[in-house]
Amino acid sequence: MKLKKQVTVCGAAIFCVAVFSLYLMLDRVQHDPARHQSGGNFPRSQISVLQNRIEQLEQLLEENHEIISHIKDSVLELTAHAEGQPTLPRHPPNSSWSLPPESRPSFLSVSPQDCQFALGGKGQNPDLQMLAVYSLLPFDNQDGGVWKQGFDITYEPNEWDAEPLQVFVVPHSHNDPGWIKTFDKYYYDQTQHILNSMVLKMQDDPRRRFIWSEISFFSKWWDNISAQKRAAVRRLVGNGQLEMVTGGWVMPDEANSHYFAMIDQLIEGHQWLEKNIGVTPRSGWAVDPFGYSSTMPYLLKRSNLTGMLIQRVHYAIKKHFAATQNLEFMWRQTWDPDSSTDIFCHMMPFYSYDVPHTCGPDPKICCQFDFKRLPGGRINCPWKVPPRAITEANVAERAQLLLDQYRKKSKLYRSKVLLVPLGDDFRYDKPQEWDAQFLNYQRIFDFLNSQPHLHVQAQFGTLSDYFDALYKKMGIVPGMKPPGFPVLSGDFFSYADREDHYWTGYFTSRPFYKSLDRVLEAHLRGAEILYSLALAHARRAGADSRYPLSDYALLSNARRNLGLFQHHDAITGTAKEAVVVDYGVRLLHSLSSLKRVIINAAHYLVLGDKDAYRYDPAAPFLSTDDTRLNQDSLPERTVIKLDALPRFLVVFNPLEQERLSVVPVLVDSPHVRVLSEEGQPLPAQLTALWGSATNMVPDVYQVSVLARLPALGLRVLQLQKSFDGQAMLKSSVRLYLHGRDLPVRKQEAVPVHVFPTTPDDFCLETQHLRACFSGHSGLLQSLRRAGEEREQRVSSEFLVYGTRTSKDKSGAYLFLPDGEAKPYTPKEPPVVRVTEGPFFSEVASYYQHVQTVVRLYNVPGVEGLSLDVSCLVDIRDHVNKELALRFSTDIESDDTFFTDLNGFQIQPRRYQQKLPLQANFYPMPAMAYIQDVQSRLTLHTAQALGVSSLGSGQLEVILDRRLMQDDNRGLGQGLKDNKRTCNRFRLLLERRATANKVQDGRPVSFPSLLSHITSMHLNAEALVLPVAQEKPAPPALRSFAPLAATVPCDFHILNLRTLQAEQDDSLPSAEAALILHRKGFDCSLEARNLGFNCTTSHGKLALGSLFQGLELGSLQPTSLTLMYPLGTASNSTTIRLDPMEIATFRVRLG
């Protein structure tokens, strides 16, 4: 009670201080003579007086914001220990459950200055804005002659007299880490032979060049070669003959990959290169991803690369850019106020990266210069004119023919430097091919270079040789903008390679694995952070000799398996079935390993007496929260057996913000009570576990406890068997059978009312939301936020797309629907189950191919402000069908919608009437939204799927696709290995307070802070780890809160990644990479009654005092992948980040 009084007094004091400070502020504005005199010597217009007043007010608001922030921290400290006895929720008759008022105040303290970023307005507009380009182009696919998707190219023979053409032919071999064969099979059959021959053949002639990009393959080969061969490789890299391009673990897909994993695979590759070869990549090479995200140029730029190349771009855009000489540009982020994110990008102009489509516009001619296709070989030229070996007799004629192609290609670019890739998938795997290509081309080069009247200089080159020559010609240093080149912003989705063949199917293909990818990612991030913290604490206590350092090898392996899965034939769902299984086995193996790493770290961190810590690999201290039987099984949650002795749980919150969450636990008895670590009873909701629509699983119950979890911390809870279940609140269940004669298996502890008929429409209400549902379908119909009059229509329905009857049908890559979607019509009406309880209520609808659950959380804060939606999909009996979920609203979104790129940024989209339906689908790795001036509806997702808005007020997502045939892109299979897949979403409705049409028309948009945090909650679930031993009672456990201060809520700790030891890469060093991201957010969405604490800080974060009980030994800002130090390591430990920026720091904690 005493504490409550203190809090009340303190609250009143704050109010007084705030009012008094505002009074003083107004007083200062009116009576500050200094302010009146500034510039008093000349007459000022009314506008500048007003401007000055506004600036004064802004400054005062900033000062006030800082005062409030300090007061807020004091109040939180005072109330942190005021939780005391929980009061229980009440359930008045004929009304919904009401929770007791929250014992801790919540703040939303966002500085006005931090709201400026989303308003933008600074900086020049780019020359090429991709949204505008799309609106401009006719997409008429006219026949262009020999360059079918382009146009005839002409030139004057004397164009190069003053400045000769400089040609760089770049030999490359595109190695997919899994596609038709598994990673290992490709390695043994082809990749090792390519690399072995490379070492031999490159040494034959110092003029030869080669580029390599996939470090996953390169590192495997490196582990299998002699010291002598390694030395030869280092020499080839050192003298510029061999270039490592991009240097990532793989060449990642850019549609479905999440930015955590994109960065992680880049770090993994770069760290490997630095440690083993001592090289840092300078140029990016991405010839095969199916469309390009603007996140990638940002990551490459922040990793200190200066140039990049892309290839698979819509043929109509290629043609337009070729016609306007815009195939090379500075790629800038849409949100960049200056040019700090600019990176030079080269777009290849033709259909493919193979030899027939890289020397010039005529594939019939270019194919004659692919000397692997010489007569007598295994492959030939489809254009029926074979290559001829180059001899003295024919060199003049052959060289002239090739030069004509080079000159025509060069006319599409602004400089007199030309890039000509020479390679294809898994090329150069036999010594004969090395000889055929390198000897014949060298003869051509020697001839061309010996003829001054041709004005050409041709040679082998690496990618960076080309970029360097271009920069030199332009008189600039790498990284600068070449004069006269355009600036572009936007992305390159969605991709079509010919006709109306849009590669939008792979945004959803094999959603089971797209989901597993994100589960593994969340576990990897959690394991990295917890391992780094446990190791630092163990070292500080001198206990690191007893800590399982060997867990580092498990982390390292998981990084590599997650990295491998970012490959553009893995997460995309476009590999052969056996290869998919291989990826799945790797992902599951790493998931199990990471659970072990988390358990070992949590064990050490929650022990009251660290000296009692003993690591026993045979008997882990904690059990896992769930298990998966096979790589394609859904997880089965662990059931805790109760006893008279308390069972302890450790709950891990992987977020850098404290969260108030409903933590679900399965137990074997309804007679249970939940206690805090100190033994205080905690309120919890008891529900049944349903095995099917009408069957409760016998002897298993779900206990959902409302728990406050420390940021990045571990909370200890106890479960006890108890027949005095005073704090256990039961939920009520209504089951609607729609006239179907189904037996219902019940348990007496959970009351169920069975209704054989169809109900009327009904609503569920919490303190934040009211959601109404159709009685017939059980699906959502409308949504209303607390305190608002207006009901927002948000009706959901399932739809089915078929595929075409003509020759081209949908497959793993392509989406070729047979027209608009038709309503999903199941054989039987659904069974609808309505559960109501104090902490959550839900509606479950069971259809033949999909079970959907819409849940409302009745808790303060983030969880309660959005709807939790999950769909368990099983379409294994469908033939050539795709299942979609569509939300229809009365939001006047017109033709505009917004999708995220890699969970990193938002890209506005426009529904293009002139394009076919399938062209209007885009990747949705994390969220999509529609809006008008009043409302924004965001669909958050826990797995990447394809999304669109095909009509005003609509948002639809493709849940799964089952296709019986190949779509002729090389895979040779349909998609028939569907699994039971659980897709998870959050649906967030927000009011827009200060929206305007001009603002909404800009090519940039940001989520609100609430939206960002909702996405994090969905993607980083709390992990519930039961203490394994039941008897004797475990040693004293203490909750662990690693952070000494609150992290500003626009900051995200992307990773805290322990770096490998110098000598042994399976062991940790004393250093870690701390990767921070400051999110860009939109303040125009109403932020009343959010019920969680959130403060921003102008991008400042005091790292020195962030970690409780640990000192920051050193802090060195570096490039994104740690290859370059940025500035000197300073004594100041307070860092500052601009909005949207990601920054890496090399830190030493201990």
Side-chain angles (χ1 to χ4, degrees):
M1 229 20 233
K2 196 174 166 195
L3 201 53
K4 279 266 167 76
K5 274 184 187 161
Q6 283 181 348
V7 174
T8 312
V9 169
C10 187
I14 292 170
F15 181 71
C16 296
V17 169
V19 170
F20 188 59
S21 62
L22 279 168
Y23 169 73
L24 286 177
M25 281 158 61
L26 290 168
D27 200 48
R28 276 171 64 187
V29 172
Q30 285 168 346
H31 301 295
D32 190 340
R35 288 176 196 253
H36 280 290
Q37 283 165 10
S38 63
N41 307 335
F42 57 89
R44 293 184 304 175
S45 69
Q46 296 277 302
I47 290 175
S48 70
V49 172
L50 198 61
Q51 207 168 348
N52 267 18
R53 285 280 167 88
I54 289 169
E55 279 168 14
Q56 289 169 21
L57 201 58
E58 276 184 349
Q59 194 182 338
L60 292 168
L61 279 168
E62 289 298 339
E63 289 168 17
N64 193 45
H65 170 74
E66 293 200 4
I67 296 167
I68 295 287
S69 293
H70 290 307
I71 296 170
K72 187 210 80 167
D73 287 338
S74 321
V75 174
L76 285 182
E77 273 176 45
L78 266 175
T79 55
H81 310 291
E83 283 195 56
Q85 273 296 117
T87 41
L88 297 180
R90 293 190 332 279
H91 193 198
N94 303 326
S95 159
S96 53
W97 283 89
S98 67
L99 290 188
E102 176 60 4
S103 61
R104 299 182 65 181
S106 67
F107 290 90
L108 185 79
S109 175
V110 176
S111 141
Q113 186 184 317
D114 289 340
C115 292
Q116 285 304 310
F117 177 74
L119 300 173
K122 298 194 187 96
Q124 298 101 24
N125 288 333
D127 308 292
L128 302 167
Q129 176 20 264
M130 287 312 298
L131 258 180
V133 171
Y134 258 83
S135 300
L136 181 81
L137 293 185
F139 294 95
D140 51 0
N141 193 21
Q142 291 184 357
D143 192 326
V146 291
W147 175 19
K148 204 164 168 41
Q149 297 173 327
F151 45 84
D152 279 332
I153 305 170
T154 55
Y155 62 86
E156 299 299 323
N158 59 359
E159 281 189 44
W160 291 274
D161 289 6
E163 195 184 344
L165 182 64
Q166 207 177 347
V167 181
F168 288 92
V169 172
V170 179
H172 69 98
S173 178
H174 179 67
N175 283 238
D176 289 306
W179 180 39
I180 304 301
K181 302 177 185 176
T182 64
F183 174 79
D184 286 337
K185 187 103 172 74
Y186 270 137
Y187 174 78
Y188 291 117
D189 289 358
Q190 282 147 297
T191 306
Q192 63 169 337
H193 304 303
I194 296 167
L195 292 168
N196 286 331
S197 300
M198 182 266 298
V199 179
L200 287 172
K201 296 294 181 179
M202 296 285 279
Q203 293 180 92
D204 287 353
D205 185 338
R207 295 171 297 181
R208 293 180 177 180
R209 299 286 183 273
F210 196 62
I211 62 170
W212 189 267
S213 95
E214 298 81 9
I215 304 304
S216 48
F217 274 130
F218 202 86
S219 66
K220 186 176 175 73
W221 173 67
W222 188 264
D223 290 343
N224 288 301
I225 60 173
S226 64
Q228 185 185 0
K229 208 178 252 191
R230 289 178 180 183
V233 172
R234 289 193 187 103
R235 277 196 304 277
L236 290 171
V237 170
N239 69 18
Q241 280 186 267
L242 171 64
E243 183 184 13
M244 309 307 285
V245 286
T246 312
W249 201 245
V250 296
M251 184 187 291
D253 169 46
E254 300 187 18
N256 303 291
S257 51
H258 191 261
Y259 77 119
F260 174 96
M262 290 170 86
I263 293 170
D264 208 63
Q265 64 85 31
L266 205 55
I267 292 176
E268 195 59 33
H270 285 189
Q271 291 288 294
W272 188 92
L273 283 172
E274 185 179 50
K275 187 169 186 292
N276 292 284
I277 303 180
V279 64
T280 55
R282 296 177 46 211
S283 305
W285 172 264
V287 286
D288 205 25
F290 326 137
Y292 298 91
S293 161
S294 45
T295 305
M296 202 64 189
Y298 174 75
L299 301 181
L300 296 180
K301 172 75 174 186
R302 291 291 175 258
S303 304
N304 265 23
L305 278 74
T306 51
M308 62 182 293
L309 171 146
I310 60 177
Q311 148 62 24
R312 286 192 185 271
V313 171
H314 194 299
Y315 61 86
I317 291 171
K318 287 190 174 217
K319 177 181 175 175
H320 174 64
F321 281 10
T324 51
Q325 286 193 325
N326 284 333
L327 288 163
E328 289 182 320
F329 48 85
M330 297 303 283
W331 198 344
R332 179 177 299 170
Q333 298 303 308
T334 50
W335 41 265
D336 183 1
D338 48 43
S339 55
S340 79
T341 61
D342 287 16
I343 183 170
F344 186 77
C345 181
H346 171 101
M347 183 189 292
M348 290 168 61
F350 306 124
Y351 173 72
S352 167
Y353 55 82
D354 62 8
V355 184
H357 295 94
T358 43
C359 90
D362 190 344
K364 181 177 180 177
I365 293 172
C366 291
C367 195
Q368 298 170 46
F369 294 90
D370 181 359
F371 296 102
K372 185 187 169 94
R373 302 182 196 238
L374 283 163
R378 294 212 348 235
I379 54 167
N380 52 26
C381 284
W383 296 269
K384 305 286 192 289
V385 185
R388 292 194 303 225
I390 305 301
T391 62
E392 266 184 54
N394 70 10
V395 67
E397 176 264 326
R398 302 312 286 166
Q400 196 69 53
L401 185 64
L402 184 57
L403 178 60
D404 176 60
Q405 289 297 307
Y406 286 172
R407 284 174 169 175
K408 283 176 174 165
K409 182 176 182 180
S410 155
K411 290 288 289 177
L412 306 179
Y413 292 89
R414 292 183 185 222
S415 85
K416 298 280 199 285
V417 187
L418 181 67
L419 171 67
V420 180
L422 181 71
D424 201 345
D425 292 5
F426 294 96
R427 281 300 187 91
Y428 302 97
D429 61 341
K430 297 196 166 54
Q432 299 86 308
E433 185 184 354
W434 285 87
D435 294 339
Q437 304 283 29
F438 280 93
L439 294 171
N440 283 300
Y441 268 96
Q442 195 60 58
R443 288 174 196 135
I444 295 172
F445 297 161
D446 290 345
F447 175 80
L448 290 173
N449 298 343
S450 68
Q451 307 289 314
H453 70 280
L454 293 177
H455 301 287
V456 62
Q457 169 72 39
Q459 64 206 71
F460 292 116
T462 62
L463 184 57
S464 291
D465 287 340
Y466 166 74
F467 283 136
D468 287 343
L470 178 72
Y471 298 141
K472 192 174 174 187
K473 205 99 185 222
M474 295 287 152
I476 57 164
V477 297
M480 274 178 67
K481 177 180 183 293
F485 279 65
V487 172
L488 174 144
S489 74
D491 69 336
F492 296 101
F493 290 117
S494 290
Y495 168 57
D497 57 349
R498 56 180 189 252
E499 297 154 39
D500 59 355
H501 293 193
Y502 283 84
W503 297 45
T504 52
Y506 83 94
F507 301 156
T508 291
S509 296
R510 295 189 166 118
F512 179 90
Y513 295 98
K514 286 176 163 66
S515 172
L516 183 55
D517 161 78
R518 291 281 273 278
V519 172
L520 181 63
E521 179 183 299
H523 277 76
L524 177 58
R525 179 179 166 274
E528 294 273 19
I529 293 171
L530 220 49
Y531 177 84
S532 298
L533 291 172
L535 192 56
H537 280 281
R539 281 186 173 136
R540 195 171 169 88
D544 47 333
S545 58
R546 289 182 284 130
Y547 193 81
L549 299 181
S550 57
D551 277 4
Y552 190 75
L554 300 179
L555 272 179
S556 182
N557 204 312
R559 293 167 182 170
R560 293 178 172 191
N561 281 335
L562 181 69
L564 185 70
F565 196 68
Q566 303 316 302
H567 163 54
H568 57 261
D569 287 305
I571 191 171
T572 51
T574 56
K576 288 251 192 220
E577 289 178 10
V579 179
V580 173
V581 171
D582 182 64
Y583 288 134
V585 168
R586 289 169 185 269
L587 295 176
L588 181 60
H589 174 73
S590 286
L591 185 59
S592 308
S593 299
L594 291 173
K595 285 186 187 287
R596 255 176 61 197
V597 175
I598 289 170
I599 281 167
N600 291 338
H603 176 195
Y604 180 80
L605 292 169
V606 295
L607 274 185
D609 174 11
K610 302 283 187 253
D611 293 339
Y613 178 76
R614 293 290 175 275
Y615 167 62
D616 180 357
F621 181 70
L622 300 167
S623 312
T624 57
D625 54 329
D626 61 23
T627 50
R628 291 175 185 248
L629 289 173
N630 296 304
Q631 55 87 22
D632 59 356
S633 316
L634 287 170
E636 292 186 16
R637 288 161 55 203
T638 305
V639 180
I640 297 168
K641 294 184 167 45
L642 296 178
D643 207 314
L645 283 172
R647 288 294 309 267
F648 287 86
L649 302 175
V650 175
V651 186
F652 173 40
N653 170 22
L655 294 186
E656 60 283 284
Q657 301 293 335
E658 178 187 81
R659 77 205 266 182
L660 185 64
S661 279
V662 175
V663 177
V665 185
L666 295 185
V667 292
D668 65 349
S669 164
H671 307 295
V672 56
R673 58 184 197 146
V674 187
L675 308 172
S676 69
E677 155 190 7
E678 302 80 14
Q680 295 283 0
L682 296 175
Q685 175 174 335
L686 185 75
T687 47
L689 182 69
W690 293 83
S692 71
T694 53
N695 284 353
M696 291 186 185
V697 177
D699 305 323
V700 178
Y701 301 86
Q702 177 167 297
V703 173
S704 303
V705 58
L706 186 60
R708 191 176 292 285
L709 307 175
L712 290 178
L714 300 158
R715 170 101 192 250
V716 177
L717 300 174
Q718 314 179 42
L719 293 175
Q720 251 178 1
K721 200 160 196 175
S722 157
F723 291 87
D724 160 33
Q726 169 242 320
M728 186 54 60
L729 304 156
K730 293 188 178 173
S731 43
S732 63
V733 179
R734 305 195 301 278
L735 197 56
Y736 297 98
L737 301 181
H738 281 299
R740 292 167 67 182
D741 184 17
L742 297 167
V744 177
R745 184 194 287 172
K746 307 187 211 178
Q747 306 212 96
E748 62 186 74
V750 183
V752 178
H753 302 285
V754 179
F755 299 88
T757 54
T758 304
D760 297 331
D761 293 358
F762 60 92
C763 301
L764 293 177
E765 195 162 356
T766 67
Q767 56 186 334
H768 293 298
L769 291 171
R770 173 183 149 96
C772 296
F773 298 83
S774 150
H776 179 72
S777 69
L779 300 179
L780 183 67
Q781 294 298 301
S782 67
L783 207 47
R784 193 179 79 205
R785 302 187 337 153
E788 289 185 358
E789 296 297 304
R790 203 167 131 253
E791 197 99 355
Q792 177 83 55
R793 181 170 79 92
V794 184
S795 65
S796 58
E797 60 184 318
F798 292 105
L799 302 163
V800 176
Y801 284 97
T803 190
R804 300 183 175 176
T805 49
S806 63
K807 61 178 193 329
D808 296 308
K809 293 182 167 64
S810 299
Y813 302 91
L814 305 183
F815 179 32
L816 294 171
D818 59 353
E820 292 185 8
K822 299 178 179 58
Y824 166 65
T825 48
K827 287 190 190 126
E828 308 264 10
V831 171
V832 176
R833 187 179 68 245
V834 183
T835 304
E836 289 192 66
F839 295 136
F840 71 84
S841 298
E842 67 182 24
V843 179
S845 309
Y846 285 78
Y847 289 91
Q848 187 187 347
H849 300 99
V850 58
Q851 299 164 24
T852 178
V853 178
V854 178
R855 178 180 287 194
L856 288 82
Y857 284 103
N858 191 31
V859 298
V862 182
E863 309 260 293
L865 293 163
S866 57
L867 289 185
D868 189 303
V869 180
S870 64
C871 296
L872 182 59
V873 177
D874 184 355
I875 57 167
R876 287 175 294 184
D877 62 352
H878 274 173
V879 174
N880 276 330
K881 297 275 193 289
E882 315 200 15
L883 186 68
L885 170 61
R886 178 184 292 169
F887 295 96
S888 302
T889 72
D890 37 26
I891 292 172
E892 293 169 8
S893 58
D894 299 331
D895 60 355
T896 303
F897 59 110
F898 302 81
T899 67
D900 76 292
L901 290 167
N902 316 100
F904 173 62
Q905 58 185 329
I906 299 293
Q907 177 64 49
R909 307 287 183 195
R910 226 160 260 136
Y911 174 75
Q912 297 284 355
Q913 208 91 47
K914 62 189 168 189
L915 292 179
L917 182 147
Q918 65 270 20
N920 287 292
F921 275 80
Y922 291 93
M924 175 183 64
M927 68 176 82
Y929 53 83
I930 52 172
Q931 64 185 23
D932 58 18
V933 289
Q934 292 177 309
S935 309
R936 176 184 289 181
L937 181 74
T938 307
L939 180 68
H940 288 276
T941 178
Q943 59 288 308
L945 296 167
V947 75
S948 188
S949 172
L950 300 176
S952 184
Q954 288 184 6
L955 206 48
E956 75 176 73
V957 55
I958 308 280
L959 299 174
D960 199 1
R961 33 204 328 258
R962 182 171 170 82
L963 302 159
M964 312 316 283
Q965 62 284 313
D966 181 47
D967 50 9
N968 301 309
R969 292 304 183 276
L971 179 61
Q973 278 184 351
L975 281 181
K976 298 189 268 194
D977 56 352
N978 303 70
K979 319 289 179 205
R980 286 178 77 237
T981 299
C982 187
N983 291 316
R984 294 173 42 246
F985 308 101
R986 278 280 172 101
L987 198 59
L988 174 65
L989 178 66
E990 295 174 283
R991 286 280 163 257
R992 302 184 74 207
T994 55
N996 65 62
K997 283 275 166 105
V998 178
Q999 200 70 30
D1000 288 353
R1002 289 171 53 230
V1004 60
S1005 184
F1006 300 94
S1008 65
L1009 278 169
L1010 171 61
S1011 188
H1012 278 304
I1013 297 169
T1014 301
S1015 182
M1016 310 267 271
H1017 273 241
L1018 177 61
N1019 282 282
E1021 291 187 297
L1023 291 185
V1024 183
L1025 308 167
V1027 173
Q1029 67 183 66
E1030 296 168 46
K1031 302 181 180 71
L1037 305 180
R1038 260 191 230 131
S1039 292
F1040 168 70
L1043 302 183
T1046 313
V1047 176
C1049 57
D1050 55 347
F1051 269 78
H1052 174 44
I1053 298 178
L1054 196 59
N1055 209 345
L1056 180 61
R1057 182 190 213 261
T1058 297
L1059 300 174
Q1060 61 188 35
E1062 277 298 310
Q1063 291 73 33
D1064 184 350
D1065 59 9
S1066 68
L1067 288 174
S1069 71
E1071 290 187 314
L1074 174 63
I1075 310 176
L1076 299 173
H1077 175 206
R1078 184 179 172 203
K1079 304 207 166 195
F1081 60 91
D1082 184 344
C1083 294
S1084 75
L1085 293 117
E1086 243 171 53
R1088 289 178 312 174
N1089 310 329
L1090 292 186
F1092 64 94
N1093 294 313
C1094 173
T1095 310
T1096 63
S1097 59
H1098 311 326
K1100 292 200 278 284
L1101 180 59
L1103 291 176
S1105 55
L1106 185 61
F1107 295 101
Q1108 184 88 46
L1110 292 175
E1111 276 171 29
L1112 195 62
S1114 63
L1115 174 70
Q1116 168 68 61
T1118 70
S1119 60
L1120 183 63
T1121 58
L1122 299 111
M1123 301 292 255
Y1124 301 88
L1126 303 178
T1128 51
S1130 72
N1131 291 336
S1132 164
T1133 56
T1134 296
I1135 58 104
R1136 194 185 167 281
L1137 274 189
D1138 284 328
M1140 290 303 295
E1141 293 290 355
I1142 301 173
T1144 301
F1145 302 88
R1146 196 184 277 271
V1147 299
R1148 194 179 285 259
L1149 286 173

